[in-house]
Amino acid sequence: MTNEKITIRTARPEDTAELLKIYEYYVKNTAITFEYEVPSLQEFRSRIENTLKKYPYLIAEADGKIAGYAYASAFHPRAAYQWDAEASIYLRNDMHRMGLGRKLYERLEEILKKMNIINLYACIAYTQHQDDPYLTNNSPHFHEHMGFEKAGHFHNSGYKFGRWYDMTFMEKKLSKTPEKVKAVIPFPELKDF
């Protein structure tokens, strides 16, 4: 960890260009995302705005500069899944191994607990190749370190850069499974965030 001051805050629409620049690297150079084309600025802005209608979309700043982001989204649209969320995280390519991912996930999990989300999932690209130039298996290791456990594995489920990639699903219980659930509180309705 460097001496940089790290702050976590909620994303704003005016952050779109910087966040898209971070994401663009992953679309063009990695199999971390299975998206082939970089979304337009307007499309990406819409994604942020739509996410913030219900879920947190967080930014990590290092010395006042955007260094990465994480957000939650619906795991599945059917009503019975509303106590589940899926987490996504992207860091600036030159800002890894600084504790940013941990700080983002800790804050994301704290908020999701307040929203009454019980299960958090991560859908992670996985390579069977030791020397893959587009993907390492660092993300599953990071998630394990954050308390996630492997829940499933799909073989050859994504095709990018002329090769097949697996998909591994990981899960984390944010709280004990209750017999009676509390209503999910949308992120904009939380009072202390």
Side-chain angles (χ1 to χ4, degrees):
M1 184 73 187
T2 68
N3 293 328
E4 294 175 338
K5 183 179 178 207
I6 307 298
T7 56
I8 307 295
R9 66 169 174 83
T10 300
R12 299 181 291 261
E14 57 267 25
D15 297 319
T16 301
E18 284 190 67
L19 298 181
L20 181 57
K21 193 183 311 178
I22 292 170
Y23 186 63
E24 178 179 9
Y25 171 83
Y26 291 96
V27 173
K28 289 183 173 180
N29 301 291
T30 78
I32 288 173
T33 175
F34 284 175
E35 199 156 10
Y36 281 11
E37 301 294 328
V38 177
S40 70
L41 193 63
Q42 184 54 46
E43 165 64 21
F44 205 72
R45 182 182 180 118
S46 292
R47 292 180 189 184
I48 295 168
E49 291 170 340
N50 287 332
T51 298
L52 285 169
K53 289 177 184 175
K54 185 170 182 182
Y55 296 99
Y57 201 120
L58 304 177
I59 287 176
E61 290 182 331
D63 288 337
K65 295 180 182 174
I66 294 176
Y69 63 96
Y71 61 92
S73 57
F75 174 68
H76 194 283
R78 300 239 166 93
Y81 293 101
Q82 66 186 292
W83 292 273
D84 306 330
E86 184 176 338
S88 297
I89 185 168
Y90 294 92
L91 301 178
R92 231 176 61 195
N93 189 45
D94 61 343
M95 301 293 281
H96 291 272
R97 307 231 182 261
M98 296 176 56
L100 294 170
R102 171 174 284 285
K103 287 183 182 297
L104 279 165
Y105 259 35
E106 286 173 346
R107 185 71 167 145
L108 187 67
E109 290 175 15
E110 178 186 351
I111 294 168
L112 292 171
K113 285 179 194 176
K114 294 273 189 188
M115 291 173 59
N116 297 320
I117 299 295
I118 297 167
N119 302 303
L120 185 58
Y121 300 106
C123 179
I124 304 166
Y126 187 88
T127 182
Q128 297 289 347
H129 307 286
Q130 294 279 341
D131 59 346
D132 193 311
Y134 305 108
L135 186 66
T136 67
N137 288 327
N138 289 340
S139 189
H141 298 301
F142 166 75
H143 283 82
E144 282 175 8
H145 191 66
M146 293 301 299
F148 284 73
E149 296 178 357
K150 189 173 179 178
H153 194 96
F154 300 105
H155 299 277
N156 298 322
S157 58
Y159 187 78
K160 189 171 179 182
F161 301 124
R163 57 181 63 203
W164 285 99
Y165 290 96
D166 294 358
M167 184 61 58
T168 189
F169 275 91
M170 299 186 79
E171 64 182 349
K172 182 176 183 178
K173 286 278 188 202
L174 298 180
S175 64
K176 290 183 180 179
T177 306
E179 288 194 30
K180 293 193 177 202
V181 294
K182 295 179 183 176
V184 173
I185 303 167
F187 176 60
E189 294 178 21
L190 291 179
K191 303 292 186 231
D192 53 353
F193 289 98

